[in-house]
Amino acid sequence: MRIDVLTLFPAMFDGVFSSSILGKAREKGIVELNTVNFRDYSNNKHNTVDDYPYGGGGGMVLKPEPIFMAVEALTEPLSSRPRIVLMCPQGEPFTQRKAEELAKEEHLIFVCGHYEGYDERIREHLVTDELSIGDYVLTGGELPAMVVIDSVARLLPGVLGNETSAVTDSFSTGLLEYPHYTRPVQFREWEVPEILLSGHHANIEKWRKRQAILRTWQKRPDLLESYPLTKEEQQWLKEIQQEFERKSE
């Protein structure tokens, strides 16, 4: 996969793109990560990329020309048009499903804004997706872009050491992930659940699925509304609810 990021602050990505999982994926050639300063595509002598909004109001608005020209410079040699993602508080909420969808693409371009907002023609005539990482406002689109890129890149084959890790992550299955334990078996007065030491893989998988349902019910019950529980899993959920009711009495 190739990922290009249009930003006024390319240096913000240096550490992220060269460290940890993303850095290793880049070294292996699994993902190509590039930053483009769209100020370089400004068409005025002062290299400005923003201007006052028509109609008045506070703040400055990003001009369309530099961003259009930067994207066109990246895409004109290509036979197919990549997904162009605008990071914006008004965008579609970013989810694991969206990460899985974007991970199927060969080329992604992220546009990171600043100031009051974007010229509306960028939304209407250039981008293919608008994404938000939450209902709050940051000073720019760089941090949200890093979040999305990390989430997408880790799904690419060969990026993670264990190929099953991403498959069993929270939200990938529709449920939150079951709890994990490692050595030592006993830490202070807390022990690893005996079932995980049994070596009985079928029982372990059953325990993990039940724990995933329990954790989802406790922390994100809204996810269960759209999750297709089997009859057995429905019974587990009923037992979980009854057990909590007894404890609260």
Side-chain angles (χ1 to χ4, degrees), residues 206 210 213 229-237 239:
K206 186 175 180 179
R210 184 177 176 125
I213 292 172
L229 293 170
T230 65
K231 289 185 177 180
E232 183 180 32
E233 291 166 353
Q234 290 174 9
Q235 181 60 34
W236 291 347
L237 180 58
E239 292 170 358

Side-chain angles (χ1 to χ4, degrees), residues 181-238:
Y181 295 87
T182 188
R183 294 180 178 84
V185 171
Q186 182 170 349
F187 172 65
R188 297 180 180 175
E189 68 272 25
W190 308 298
E191 294 186 358
V192 174
E194 188 175 345
I195 183 66
L196 297 178
L197 309 175
S198 68
H200 196 300
H201 297 297
N203 287 347
I204 291 173
E205 287 306 310
K206 186 175 180 179
W207 179 87
R208 284 175 168 172
K209 189 61 177 286
R210 184 177 176 125
Q211 290 294 312
I213 292 172
L214 167 61
R215 179 157 290 184
T216 304
W217 179 73
Q218 289 178 313
K219 298 177 180 290
R220 289 292 304 276
D222 57 296
L223 296 176
L224 291 172
E225 296 176 4
S226 58
Y227 185 80
L229 293 170
T230 65
K231 289 185 177 180
E232 183 180 32
E233 291 166 353
Q234 290 174 9
Q235 181 60 34
W236 291 347
L237 180 58
K238 184 178 180 181

Side-chain angles (χ1 to χ4, degrees), residues 4-6 71 74-75 82-86 107-111:
D4 296 304
V5 183
L6 272 60
V71 169
L74 292 171
T75 58
R83 295 279 283 272
I84 303 171
V85 182
L86 190 74
H107 186 190
L108 298 173
I109 296 177
F110 289 85
V111 181

